[in-house]
Short mmCIF file of all heavy atoms in Angstrom, two decimals:
data_model
loop_
_atom_site.label_atom_id
_atom_site.label_comp_id
_atom_site.label_asym_id
_atom_site.label_seq_id
_atom_site.Cartn_x
_atom_site.Cartn_y
_atom_site.Cartn_z
N MET A 209 204.32 83.24 144.14
CA MET A 209 204.00 83.50 142.74
C MET A 209 202.51 83.66 142.57
O MET A 209 201.74 82.87 143.06
CB MET A 209 204.54 82.35 141.89
CG MET A 209 204.17 82.49 140.42
SD MET A 209 204.57 81.04 139.43
CE MET A 209 206.24 81.40 139.01
N GLN A 210 202.12 84.70 141.88
CA GLN A 210 200.73 84.97 141.68
C GLN A 210 200.26 84.33 140.37
O GLN A 210 200.99 84.33 139.41
CB GLN A 210 200.48 86.47 141.61
CG GLN A 210 199.04 86.86 141.45
CD GLN A 210 198.88 88.38 141.39
OE1 GLN A 210 199.81 89.12 141.30
NE2 GLN A 210 197.64 88.81 141.44
N THR A 211 199.08 83.79 140.34
CA THR A 211 198.51 83.20 139.14
C THR A 211 197.41 84.12 138.61
O THR A 211 196.58 84.62 139.38
CB THR A 211 197.90 81.82 139.44
OG1 THR A 211 198.90 80.99 139.99
CG2 THR A 211 197.28 81.21 138.18
N VAL A 212 197.43 84.36 137.30
CA VAL A 212 196.47 85.22 136.65
C VAL A 212 195.79 84.38 135.59
O VAL A 212 196.43 83.64 134.83
CB VAL A 212 197.13 86.45 136.01
CG1 VAL A 212 196.11 87.29 135.28
CG2 VAL A 212 197.85 87.26 137.06
N THR A 213 194.45 84.42 135.52
CA THR A 213 193.71 83.71 134.51
C THR A 213 193.07 84.70 133.54
O THR A 213 192.49 85.67 134.01
CB THR A 213 192.60 82.87 135.16
OG1 THR A 213 193.18 81.98 136.10
CG2 THR A 213 191.81 82.06 134.14
N LEU A 214 193.26 84.47 132.26
CA LEU A 214 192.65 85.33 131.25
C LEU A 214 191.68 84.51 130.43
O LEU A 214 191.96 83.35 130.08
CB LEU A 214 193.77 85.83 130.27
CG LEU A 214 194.83 86.74 130.91
CD1 LEU A 214 195.90 87.03 129.86
CD2 LEU A 214 194.22 88.03 131.43
N LYS A 215 190.55 85.11 130.09
CA LYS A 215 189.60 84.48 129.20
C LYS A 215 189.57 85.32 127.93
O LYS A 215 189.31 86.52 128.01
CB LYS A 215 188.20 84.42 129.83
CG LYS A 215 188.07 83.42 130.95
CD LYS A 215 186.67 83.46 131.53
CE LYS A 215 185.83 82.39 130.86
NZ LYS A 215 184.51 82.27 131.44
N VAL A 216 189.88 84.67 126.79
CA VAL A 216 189.87 85.41 125.55
C VAL A 216 189.16 84.53 124.49
O VAL A 216 189.16 83.31 124.59
CB VAL A 216 191.26 85.77 125.05
CG1 VAL A 216 191.96 86.68 126.00
CG2 VAL A 216 192.12 84.48 124.91
N LYS A 217 188.53 85.16 123.55
CA LYS A 217 187.89 84.46 122.46
C LYS A 217 188.95 84.21 121.37
O LYS A 217 189.73 85.09 121.04
CB LYS A 217 186.73 85.26 121.87
CG LYS A 217 185.53 85.31 122.75
CD LYS A 217 184.38 86.01 122.07
CE LYS A 217 183.17 86.00 122.99
NZ LYS A 217 182.01 86.61 122.35
N LEU A 218 188.98 83.03 120.83
CA LEU A 218 189.92 82.67 119.76
C LEU A 218 189.11 82.41 118.51
O LEU A 218 188.04 81.77 118.54
CB LEU A 218 190.71 81.44 120.12
CG LEU A 218 191.62 81.54 121.34
CD1 LEU A 218 192.28 80.19 121.61
CD2 LEU A 218 192.70 82.63 121.15
N LEU A 219 189.65 82.88 117.42
CA LEU A 219 189.02 82.58 116.12
C LEU A 219 189.49 81.19 115.67
O LEU A 219 190.59 80.74 116.02
CB LEU A 219 189.46 83.60 115.07
CG LEU A 219 189.08 85.05 115.37
CD1 LEU A 219 189.65 85.98 114.31
CD2 LEU A 219 187.57 85.20 115.44
N SER A 220 188.66 80.48 114.97
CA SER A 220 189.04 79.19 114.47
C SER A 220 190.18 79.36 113.43
O SER A 220 190.06 80.15 112.51
CB SER A 220 187.90 78.47 113.78
OG SER A 220 186.86 78.22 114.72
N PRO A 221 191.31 78.64 113.62
CA PRO A 221 192.41 78.81 112.68
C PRO A 221 192.12 78.15 111.34
O PRO A 221 191.38 77.13 111.28
CB PRO A 221 193.58 78.11 113.40
CG PRO A 221 192.90 77.11 114.27
CD PRO A 221 191.59 77.69 114.68
N ASN A 222 192.73 78.67 110.29
CA ASN A 222 192.63 77.98 109.00
C ASN A 222 193.59 76.77 109.00
O ASN A 222 194.32 76.56 109.98
CB ASN A 222 192.94 78.94 107.83
CG ASN A 222 194.38 79.48 107.88
OD1 ASN A 222 195.25 78.83 108.34
ND2 ASN A 222 194.54 80.71 107.39
N LYS A 223 193.55 75.99 107.97
CA LYS A 223 194.34 74.74 107.94
C LYS A 223 195.84 74.98 108.16
O LYS A 223 196.47 74.29 108.93
CB LYS A 223 194.11 74.00 106.63
CG LYS A 223 194.77 72.67 106.56
CD LYS A 223 194.54 71.96 105.27
CE LYS A 223 195.28 70.64 105.22
NZ LYS A 223 195.16 69.98 103.88
N GLY A 224 196.38 75.99 107.51
CA GLY A 224 197.81 76.29 107.62
C GLY A 224 198.19 76.66 109.07
O GLY A 224 199.18 76.21 109.59
N LYS A 225 197.40 77.53 109.65
CA LYS A 225 197.69 77.97 111.00
C LYS A 225 197.50 76.84 112.01
O LYS A 225 198.26 76.70 112.97
CB LYS A 225 196.77 79.13 111.40
CG LYS A 225 197.18 80.43 110.73
CD LYS A 225 196.31 81.57 111.17
CE LYS A 225 196.70 82.85 110.46
NZ LYS A 225 195.84 83.98 110.84
N LEU A 226 196.52 75.99 111.77
CA LEU A 226 196.27 74.86 112.63
C LEU A 226 197.49 73.89 112.62
O LEU A 226 197.93 73.46 113.67
CB LEU A 226 195.02 74.12 112.23
CG LEU A 226 194.61 72.90 113.11
CD1 LEU A 226 194.42 73.35 114.55
CD2 LEU A 226 193.37 72.25 112.56
N GLU A 227 197.98 73.62 111.44
CA GLU A 227 199.18 72.75 111.33
C GLU A 227 200.40 73.38 112.05
O GLU A 227 201.11 72.65 112.72
CB GLU A 227 199.49 72.49 109.86
CG GLU A 227 198.44 71.60 109.17
CD GLU A 227 198.64 71.50 107.68
OE1 GLU A 227 199.55 72.18 107.12
OE2 GLU A 227 197.87 70.80 107.03
N LYS A 228 200.57 74.67 111.89
CA LYS A 228 201.68 75.33 112.57
C LYS A 228 201.53 75.28 114.09
O LYS A 228 202.50 75.09 114.82
CB LYS A 228 201.82 76.77 112.13
CG LYS A 228 202.32 76.92 110.72
CD LYS A 228 202.39 78.39 110.32
CE LYS A 228 202.85 78.53 108.87
NZ LYS A 228 202.85 79.95 108.46
N MET A 229 200.30 75.46 114.54
CA MET A 229 200.02 75.42 115.99
C MET A 229 200.28 74.05 116.54
O MET A 229 200.85 73.88 117.64
CB MET A 229 198.59 75.86 116.28
CG MET A 229 198.38 77.36 116.14
SD MET A 229 196.68 77.93 116.24
CE MET A 229 196.02 77.09 117.66
N VAL A 230 199.92 73.01 115.80
CA VAL A 230 200.13 71.63 116.23
C VAL A 230 201.66 71.34 116.33
O VAL A 230 202.13 70.75 117.29
CB VAL A 230 199.41 70.62 115.30
CG1 VAL A 230 199.89 69.21 115.54
CG2 VAL A 230 197.91 70.75 115.47
N ARG A 231 202.41 71.81 115.31
CA ARG A 231 203.85 71.60 115.35
C ARG A 231 204.50 72.35 116.51
O ARG A 231 205.39 71.85 117.20
CB ARG A 231 204.49 72.06 114.02
CG ARG A 231 204.31 71.07 112.88
CD ARG A 231 205.25 71.33 111.71
NE ARG A 231 205.29 72.72 111.28
CZ ARG A 231 204.52 73.26 110.34
NH1 ARG A 231 203.63 72.53 109.72
NH2 ARG A 231 204.66 74.56 110.02
N MET A 232 204.03 73.60 116.75
CA MET A 232 204.58 74.41 117.81
C MET A 232 204.26 73.72 119.17
O MET A 232 205.14 73.66 120.06
CB MET A 232 203.95 75.81 117.81
CG MET A 232 204.51 76.67 118.92
SD MET A 232 203.74 78.29 118.94
CE MET A 232 202.07 77.91 119.46
N LEU A 233 203.07 73.22 119.33
CA LEU A 233 202.69 72.54 120.58
C LEU A 233 203.53 71.31 120.78
O LEU A 233 204.01 71.04 121.90
CB LEU A 233 201.21 72.17 120.57
CG LEU A 233 200.66 71.52 121.84
CD1 LEU A 233 200.88 72.44 123.02
CD2 LEU A 233 199.19 71.20 121.63
N GLU A 234 203.80 70.55 119.73
CA GLU A 234 204.62 69.33 119.85
C GLU A 234 206.07 69.70 120.27
O GLU A 234 206.68 69.07 121.11
CB GLU A 234 204.61 68.56 118.57
CG GLU A 234 205.40 67.29 118.58
CD GLU A 234 204.92 66.26 119.60
OE1 GLU A 234 203.75 66.32 120.03
OE2 GLU A 234 205.70 65.39 119.96
N THR A 235 206.62 70.76 119.61
CA THR A 235 207.97 71.21 119.98
C THR A 235 208.01 71.68 121.41
O THR A 235 208.95 71.37 122.15
CB THR A 235 208.37 72.38 119.03
OG1 THR A 235 208.36 71.88 117.68
CG2 THR A 235 209.77 72.87 119.36
N TYR A 236 206.98 72.40 121.84
CA TYR A 236 206.93 72.90 123.24
C TYR A 236 206.90 71.73 124.22
O TYR A 236 207.60 71.72 125.21
CB TYR A 236 205.69 73.79 123.40
CG TYR A 236 205.51 74.30 124.80
CD1 TYR A 236 206.28 75.32 125.31
CD2 TYR A 236 204.55 73.72 125.64
CE1 TYR A 236 206.11 75.80 126.60
CE2 TYR A 236 204.37 74.20 126.94
CZ TYR A 236 205.16 75.19 127.39
OH TYR A 236 205.01 75.67 128.68
N ARG A 237 206.07 70.70 123.90
CA ARG A 237 205.98 69.52 124.76
C ARG A 237 207.32 68.83 124.87
O ARG A 237 207.75 68.46 125.96
CB ARG A 237 204.92 68.58 124.24
CG ARG A 237 204.62 67.42 125.17
CD ARG A 237 203.79 66.36 124.49
NE ARG A 237 204.48 65.73 123.36
CZ ARG A 237 205.51 64.86 123.44
NH1 ARG A 237 205.96 64.50 124.62
NH2 ARG A 237 206.04 64.36 122.36
N LYS A 238 208.00 68.67 123.74
CA LYS A 238 209.32 68.00 123.76
C LYS A 238 210.32 68.84 124.56
O LYS A 238 211.11 68.25 125.29
CB LYS A 238 209.80 67.80 122.31
CG LYS A 238 209.05 66.73 121.58
CD LYS A 238 209.57 66.58 120.15
CE LYS A 238 208.84 65.52 119.40
NZ LYS A 238 209.31 65.38 118.02
N ALA A 239 210.28 70.14 124.37
CA ALA A 239 211.23 70.99 125.11
C ALA A 239 210.97 70.92 126.60
O ALA A 239 211.92 70.85 127.39
CB ALA A 239 211.08 72.46 124.62
N CYS A 240 209.70 70.96 127.02
CA CYS A 240 209.37 70.83 128.44
C CYS A 240 209.89 69.54 129.02
O CYS A 240 210.49 69.52 130.13
CB CYS A 240 207.87 70.98 128.64
SG CYS A 240 207.25 72.63 128.40
N THR A 241 209.68 68.47 128.31
CA THR A 241 210.14 67.14 128.77
C THR A 241 211.65 67.14 128.86
O THR A 241 212.23 66.65 129.83
CB THR A 241 209.66 66.02 127.81
OG1 THR A 241 208.23 66.06 127.78
CG2 THR A 241 210.13 64.67 128.26
N TRP A 242 212.33 67.69 127.84
CA TRP A 242 213.77 67.70 127.83
C TRP A 242 214.32 68.52 128.99
O TRP A 242 215.25 68.08 129.70
CB TRP A 242 214.27 68.28 126.50
CG TRP A 242 215.76 68.22 126.36
CD1 TRP A 242 216.53 67.17 125.98
CD2 TRP A 242 216.68 69.33 126.59
NE1 TRP A 242 217.85 67.52 126.00
CE2 TRP A 242 217.97 68.83 126.36
CE3 TRP A 242 216.51 70.65 127.01
CZ2 TRP A 242 219.09 69.63 126.53
CZ3 TRP A 242 217.65 71.44 127.12
CH2 TRP A 242 218.89 70.94 126.87
N PHE A 243 213.73 69.71 129.24
CA PHE A 243 214.20 70.55 130.36
C PHE A 243 213.96 69.87 131.70
O PHE A 243 214.81 69.97 132.61
CB PHE A 243 213.54 71.92 130.34
CG PHE A 243 214.23 72.91 129.42
CD1 PHE A 243 213.60 73.32 128.24
CD2 PHE A 243 215.48 73.40 129.73
CE1 PHE A 243 214.26 74.20 127.43
CE2 PHE A 243 216.13 74.30 128.89
CZ PHE A 243 215.51 74.69 127.73
N LEU A 244 212.87 69.16 131.86
CA LEU A 244 212.63 68.41 133.06
C LEU A 244 213.67 67.37 133.30
O LEU A 244 214.20 67.23 134.42
CB LEU A 244 211.18 67.82 133.08
CG LEU A 244 210.86 66.93 134.29
CD1 LEU A 244 210.94 67.80 135.54
CD2 LEU A 244 209.48 66.35 134.13
N GLU A 245 214.00 66.64 132.26
CA GLU A 245 215.09 65.62 132.34
C GLU A 245 216.43 66.24 132.69
O GLU A 245 217.14 65.72 133.52
CB GLU A 245 215.18 64.84 131.03
CG GLU A 245 214.00 63.97 130.74
CD GLU A 245 214.02 63.40 129.31
OE1 GLU A 245 214.92 63.74 128.52
OE2 GLU A 245 213.10 62.62 129.03
N GLN A 246 216.69 67.39 132.12
CA GLN A 246 217.99 68.11 132.44
C GLN A 246 218.00 68.55 133.88
O GLN A 246 219.01 68.43 134.56
CB GLN A 246 218.17 69.30 131.51
CG GLN A 246 218.31 68.90 130.04
CD GLN A 246 219.35 67.90 129.79
OE1 GLN A 246 220.53 68.04 130.16
NE2 GLN A 246 218.96 66.78 129.16
N ALA A 247 216.85 69.07 134.37
CA ALA A 247 216.79 69.52 135.77
C ALA A 247 217.03 68.34 136.71
O ALA A 247 217.70 68.46 137.72
CB ALA A 247 215.44 70.16 136.04
N GLU A 248 216.47 67.16 136.38
CA GLU A 248 216.62 65.99 137.20
C GLU A 248 218.09 65.55 137.12
O GLU A 248 218.66 65.15 138.15
CB GLU A 248 215.71 64.88 136.74
CG GLU A 248 214.26 65.15 137.08
CD GLU A 248 213.29 64.14 136.50
OE1 GLU A 248 213.70 63.33 135.63
OE2 GLU A 248 212.14 64.13 136.92
N THR A 249 218.72 65.55 135.95
CA THR A 249 220.11 65.16 135.77
C THR A 249 221.02 66.06 136.58
O THR A 249 221.99 65.60 137.24
CB THR A 249 220.51 65.16 134.30
OG1 THR A 249 219.69 64.26 133.59
CG2 THR A 249 221.96 64.84 134.11
N LEU A 250 220.74 67.39 136.52
CA LEU A 250 221.56 68.38 137.25
C LEU A 250 221.18 68.44 138.72
O LEU A 250 221.85 69.17 139.48
CB LEU A 250 221.41 69.74 136.59
CG LEU A 250 221.96 69.88 135.16
CD1 LEU A 250 221.50 71.20 134.52
CD2 LEU A 250 223.45 69.75 135.15
N ASN A 251 220.10 67.81 139.10
CA ASN A 251 219.59 67.81 140.47
C ASN A 251 219.41 69.26 140.96
O ASN A 251 219.94 69.65 141.99
CB ASN A 251 220.55 67.04 141.39
CG ASN A 251 219.93 66.75 142.72
OD1 ASN A 251 218.70 66.62 142.80
ND2 ASN A 251 220.72 66.68 143.76
N THR A 252 218.64 70.01 140.17
CA THR A 252 218.39 71.38 140.51
C THR A 252 216.95 71.79 140.25
O THR A 252 216.31 71.25 139.40
CB THR A 252 219.34 72.34 139.74
OG1 THR A 252 219.18 73.66 140.23
CG2 THR A 252 219.08 72.31 138.23
N THR A 253 216.51 72.79 140.99
CA THR A 253 215.25 73.42 140.71
C THR A 253 215.46 74.89 140.38
O THR A 253 214.52 75.66 140.19
CB THR A 253 214.29 73.33 141.94
OG1 THR A 253 214.91 73.92 143.06
CG2 THR A 253 213.91 71.89 142.23
N SER A 254 216.72 75.30 140.26
CA SER A 254 217.11 76.67 139.99
C SER A 254 217.01 76.93 138.48
O SER A 254 217.66 76.28 137.68
CB SER A 254 218.56 76.90 140.42
OG SER A 254 219.04 78.15 139.88
N ARG A 255 216.12 77.86 138.11
CA ARG A 255 215.98 78.23 136.67
C ARG A 255 217.28 78.80 136.15
O ARG A 255 217.65 78.58 135.01
CB ARG A 255 214.84 79.21 136.50
CG ARG A 255 213.47 78.57 136.67
CD ARG A 255 212.37 79.50 136.33
NE ARG A 255 212.36 80.61 137.26
CZ ARG A 255 211.70 81.75 137.10
NH1 ARG A 255 210.98 81.93 136.05
NH2 ARG A 255 211.77 82.68 137.99
N ALA A 256 217.99 79.59 136.99
CA ALA A 256 219.23 80.23 136.54
C ALA A 256 220.27 79.14 136.23
O ALA A 256 220.97 79.21 135.19
CB ALA A 256 219.75 81.19 137.61
N LYS A 257 220.43 78.17 137.12
CA LYS A 257 221.40 77.12 136.87
C LYS A 257 221.00 76.29 135.64
O LYS A 257 221.86 75.97 134.81
CB LYS A 257 221.49 76.22 138.10
CG LYS A 257 222.55 75.11 137.89
CD LYS A 257 222.72 74.23 139.10
CE LYS A 257 223.78 73.17 138.81
NZ LYS A 257 223.98 72.28 139.94
N LEU A 258 219.73 75.97 135.54
CA LEU A 258 219.27 75.18 134.38
C LEU A 258 219.54 75.93 133.09
O LEU A 258 220.03 75.35 132.13
CB LEU A 258 217.77 74.88 134.57
CG LEU A 258 217.15 73.97 133.51
CD1 LEU A 258 217.82 72.62 133.51
CD2 LEU A 258 215.66 73.86 133.76
N ASN A 259 219.24 77.25 133.06
CA ASN A 259 219.50 78.04 131.88
C ASN A 259 221.00 78.10 131.55
O ASN A 259 221.40 77.90 130.39
CB ASN A 259 218.97 79.45 132.08
CG ASN A 259 219.13 80.29 130.85
OD1 ASN A 259 218.61 79.97 129.78
ND2 ASN A 259 219.85 81.40 130.97
N ARG A 260 221.82 78.33 132.55
CA ARG A 260 223.24 78.42 132.38
C ARG A 260 223.83 77.11 131.80
O ARG A 260 224.67 77.15 130.97
CB ARG A 260 223.87 78.76 133.73
CG ARG A 260 225.35 79.13 133.69
CD ARG A 260 225.89 79.62 135.00
NE ARG A 260 225.53 78.81 136.16
CZ ARG A 260 224.68 79.16 137.11
NH1 ARG A 260 224.03 80.32 137.05
NH2 ARG A 260 224.39 78.37 138.13
N GLU A 261 223.35 75.99 132.29
CA GLU A 261 223.87 74.69 131.91
C GLU A 261 223.29 74.13 130.62
O GLU A 261 223.92 73.25 130.00
CB GLU A 261 223.65 73.68 133.02
CG GLU A 261 224.28 74.04 134.34
CD GLU A 261 225.80 73.96 134.34
OE1 GLU A 261 226.36 73.13 133.57
OE2 GLU A 261 226.43 74.78 135.01
N THR A 262 222.14 74.61 130.17
CA THR A 262 221.48 73.95 129.03
C THR A 262 221.14 74.89 127.89
O THR A 262 220.71 74.37 126.83
CB THR A 262 220.13 73.33 129.53
OG1 THR A 262 219.28 74.36 130.02
CG2 THR A 262 220.37 72.28 130.59
N TYR A 263 221.36 76.16 128.01
CA TYR A 263 220.92 77.13 127.02
C TYR A 263 221.37 76.81 125.59
O TYR A 263 220.58 76.73 124.66
CB TYR A 263 221.35 78.54 127.38
CG TYR A 263 220.91 79.56 126.38
CD1 TYR A 263 219.63 80.08 126.35
CD2 TYR A 263 221.82 80.04 125.41
CE1 TYR A 263 219.20 81.00 125.42
CE2 TYR A 263 221.41 80.97 124.47
CZ TYR A 263 220.11 81.47 124.48
OH TYR A 263 219.73 82.36 123.54
N HIS A 264 222.66 76.60 125.40
CA HIS A 264 223.21 76.41 124.07
C HIS A 264 222.71 75.08 123.44
O HIS A 264 222.39 75.04 122.24
CB HIS A 264 224.72 76.49 124.08
CG HIS A 264 225.23 77.85 124.42
ND1 HIS A 264 225.08 78.96 123.57
CD2 HIS A 264 225.84 78.33 125.52
CE1 HIS A 264 225.58 80.01 124.14
NE2 HIS A 264 226.04 79.67 125.36
N LYS A 265 222.66 74.05 124.22
CA LYS A 265 222.16 72.76 123.72
C LYS A 265 220.68 72.88 123.35
O LYS A 265 220.24 72.36 122.32
CB LYS A 265 222.38 71.68 124.76
CG LYS A 265 222.00 70.30 124.32
CD LYS A 265 222.85 69.82 123.16
CE LYS A 265 222.48 68.38 122.75
NZ LYS A 265 223.22 67.94 121.61
N ALA A 266 219.91 73.55 124.19
CA ALA A 266 218.47 73.73 123.89
C ALA A 266 218.29 74.51 122.60
O ALA A 266 217.38 74.21 121.82
CB ALA A 266 217.80 74.43 125.05
N CYS A 267 219.10 75.50 122.36
CA CYS A 267 219.01 76.29 121.09
C CYS A 267 219.29 75.39 119.92
O CYS A 267 218.68 75.59 118.84
CB CYS A 267 220.00 77.42 121.11
SG CYS A 267 219.55 78.77 122.22
N GLU A 268 220.19 74.44 120.03
CA GLU A 268 220.47 73.52 118.93
C GLU A 268 219.30 72.52 118.71
O GLU A 268 218.98 72.21 117.57
CB GLU A 268 221.70 72.69 119.23
CG GLU A 268 223.01 73.45 119.26
CD GLU A 268 224.18 72.62 119.75
OE1 GLU A 268 224.06 71.36 119.82
OE2 GLU A 268 225.24 73.20 120.04
N LEU A 269 218.68 72.10 119.79
CA LEU A 269 217.63 71.06 119.70
C LEU A 269 216.28 71.61 119.33
O LEU A 269 215.52 70.93 118.61
CB LEU A 269 217.50 70.35 121.06
CG LEU A 269 218.70 69.50 121.47
CD1 LEU A 269 218.48 68.97 122.88
CD2 LEU A 269 218.91 68.35 120.50
N PHE A 270 215.95 72.84 119.76
CA PHE A 270 214.60 73.33 119.59
C PHE A 270 214.61 74.70 118.89
O PHE A 270 215.34 75.57 119.26
CB PHE A 270 213.91 73.49 120.94
CG PHE A 270 213.94 72.22 121.75
CD1 PHE A 270 214.80 72.07 122.80
CD2 PHE A 270 213.14 71.15 121.41
CE1 PHE A 270 214.87 70.88 123.54
CE2 PHE A 270 213.17 69.95 122.11
CZ PHE A 270 214.01 69.85 123.17
N ASP A 271 213.80 74.80 117.85
CA ASP A 271 213.75 76.02 117.04
C ASP A 271 213.13 77.14 117.84
O ASP A 271 212.09 77.04 118.40
CB ASP A 271 212.95 75.73 115.76
CG ASP A 271 212.97 76.91 114.85
OD1 ASP A 271 213.90 77.74 114.92
OD2 ASP A 271 212.07 76.98 113.95
#
């Protein structure tokens, strides 16, 4: 797998966008943790198997 690094300038977000970004980041963190737990439960490192076994539940849990 190749890694690519991008450097971009970001504008400072206004209050509304900042709050949305914080919520999105929290949801992303929770989803990553949940998927890791599911992968451990299923004893798999296969993204295809993880997707097949968890997709519908993840859609219910995470917006």
Side-chain angles (χ1 to χ4, degrees):
M209 177 188 273
Q210 183 180 9
T211 301
V212 177
T213 303
L214 298 174
K215 287 179 96 175
V216 295
K217 288 185 179 183
L218 298 177
L219 300 175
S220 297
N222 62 31
K223 184 180 177 185
K225 287 182 181 179
L226 182 60
E227 290 171 357
K228 288 178 183 178
M229 286 172 46
V230 168
R231 283 196 312 269
M232 181 183 67
L233 183 58
E234 181 62 20
T235 300
Y236 178 76
R237 187 192 62 75
K238 287 179 181 179
C240 288
T241 301
W242 185 81
F243 276 110
L244 178 59
E245 291 170 357
Q246 297 307 304
E248 290 174 346
T249 299
L250 295 169
N251 194 29
T252 187
T253 58
S254 168
R255 287 185 297 165
K257 181 177 180 181
L258 186 60
N259 184 59
R260 189 172 47 252
E261 300 292 328
T262 62
Y263 179 80
H264 294 292
K265 183 64 177 177
C267 288
E268 292 173 13
L269 293 173
F270 307 104
D271 186 22

